[in-house]
Amino acid sequence: MDRRQFLGRAASAGISLSLPIAAAALPQERARPRGAKSLDAFATAPMSKVRFGMIGVGARGSGHVGDLLKLDGVEIKAICDLYPDWAARAAKQCTDAGRPSPEIFTQGKDHFLKMLDRDDLDAVVIATPWEEHSRMAIAAMKAGKHAFVEVPMAMTTDQCWDIVDTAERTQKQCMMLENVCYGREELLVLNMVAHGVFGEILHGEGAYIHDLRGQMNEVERGTGSWRTVHYQKRNGNLYPTHGLGPVAQYMDINRGDRFDFLSSVSSNSRARAAYAKEHFPPEHKWNQKPFVCGDINTTIVRTVRGRTLMVQWDEQLPRPYNRLNLLQGTKGVWGGFPNRCVIEGRSPSTDQWQEGDELKAFYERYEHPLWAKVGELAKGSGHGGMDFVMWWRAVQCLREGLPLDQSVYDGAAWTSVGTLSEVSVASRGRSVDVPDFTRGGWKTAKPLGIVS
């Protein structure tokens, strides 16, 4: 892009030209690559079994191994990790479950490419540090495998586009593993929306508020060893999708509506520097570089149809866990943590929450059929059962030739709220357009169906 093009695009995006915003940071629309096809309602041919390769089997990946081993029609053929002991641990999970021992790949960061050369893999699960997600998902699809990638899907908006382009070219599934969409309460609210309980949806709120300072004690390996570095380099909403994904599904994002633009601001950065000073010596690496990411980030999104969303992020302040999960419509509201609601004409009052046992009637009438079917089987699985339900449903879709509940467009759009929040924060909260990853497909896409 030459200087004139950059100035024009920056001006159209509403970004002050006196601010240090790189041209590459601005969201760009892309034309569909030659030979690529839309993946709206995309489904593959039914599979009698699904053969998986696992890339990354640390804390998160080993949980995925455990859930997949509980399912019929699933084989884990290969495991790749930087650490041989973690790979061996995951392989033992397979043999302990009476399954064959998978082949192990542990020879460096690129050894997963050798694993992808196998012709007996249908899909790969990517549970590695964030910065590896996009290149691994793209490599998997180019190798003819479906990709299931942990959140967030990518680190930049351009990487989101690269994943979408590759999925459309290869006609492979690429699902971001947003497990919260399969929580009992989130599925309940989704079903209530489908039944019109809240009327016209106007506003939603999601969050990831979780004190994770303790991860900083994982210095050599583990989540904190790589995640802590991000707080020293970036400022915005670094982890938007847990609270955002369910609300986006309530609002039919990419299925009748889409994100239009967002504005984002961050507070000062204080908590991690104080934690590092208290728990580590002055010469420790956590004390050698400043923490620049604001302790709380608040991002406001407006959709094309005029709905609004508030998405918050805070992984360091002393505060109980919260995802908010609030949805406001013309006839009522649902709020999470704790679960409560007010429905006009059905609640005793519109200025007093119904909660606790008062919600029993709503659960009895609107329990999501998916949770009703497999909720008991999910007991003991990670995150209150939502992890198991997510994998049960994903494998069902692959084996029966059904579209996945979360498309590559969803993963890209939800992730981009985080990547673009950094652009907005750097430009004093100015609004930034969110690209249309569906390239117009959202206008005709059908709402997410309720599993029968």
Side-chain angles (χ1 to χ4, degrees), residues 18 47 53 71 73 94 116 118 147 215 225 235 240 287 337 368 385 448:
S18 65
M47 304 177 184
L71 300 175
C94 297
L116 293 179
R118 296 175 63 113
Q215 289 182 344
S225 66
N235 188 8
N287 283 311
F337 299 87
H368 194 286
L448 186 65

Side-chain angles (χ1 to χ4, degrees), residues 15 35 71 112 178 282:
I15 295 176
L71 300 175
F112 77 96
E178 185 39 78

Side-chain angles (χ1 to χ4, degrees), residues 60 63-64 66-68 70 371 374-391:
R60 195 75 186 107
H64 292 318
D67 285 325
L68 288 170
K70 298 174 185 176
W371 190 271
V374 299
E376 281 296 313
L377 297 175
K379 287 184 175 179
S381 176
H383 299 96
M386 62 177 65
D387 293 352
F388 176 85
V389 176
M390 174 183 69
W391 278 120

